[in-house]
Amino acid sequence: MAIGIIVRWVPVVREQRWRWFWAHQAAVAAIVAGHALRERPDAVIINGTWLVVAALWFLGAGALSRRRQP
């Protein structure tokens, strides 16, 4: 699921598709948890970083679009 949403990430962000965003966050969190259980710290760091960056990107784009509206 995460990969499918990442492929469409720009429209998800631009159109503020909240359901897609939460599905992405849940899928990536599951990936991070799986890597943590298998004790793969490099994978946890990489995927955890994307989890945070994606959230900041999505939320930041929403804040920008709200500022642009008259």
Side-chain angles (χ1 to χ4, degrees), residues 32-61:
V32 171
H35 286 307
L37 290 172
R38 292 183 179 252
E39 298 179 6
R40 296 179 175 166
D42 291 347
V44 170
I45 292 167
I46 291 166
N47 288 287
T49 299
W50 170 248
L51 185 73
V52 173
V53 168
L56 293 173
W57 185 353
F58 185 86
L59 297 172

Side-chain angles (χ1 to χ4, degrees), residues 4-42:
I5 294 172
I6 290 169
V7 168
R8 297 167 184 85
W9 186 249
V10 173
V12 170
V13 171
R14 183 176 34 234
E15 297 169 18
Q16 290 290 286
R17 297 179 185 175
W18 282 94
R19 288 184 185 169
W20 285 48
F21 169 71
W22 286 118
H24 167 269
Q25 293 296 92
V28 175
I31 291 168
V32 171
H35 286 307
L37 290 172
R38 292 183 179 252
E39 298 179 6
R40 296 179 175 166
D42 291 347

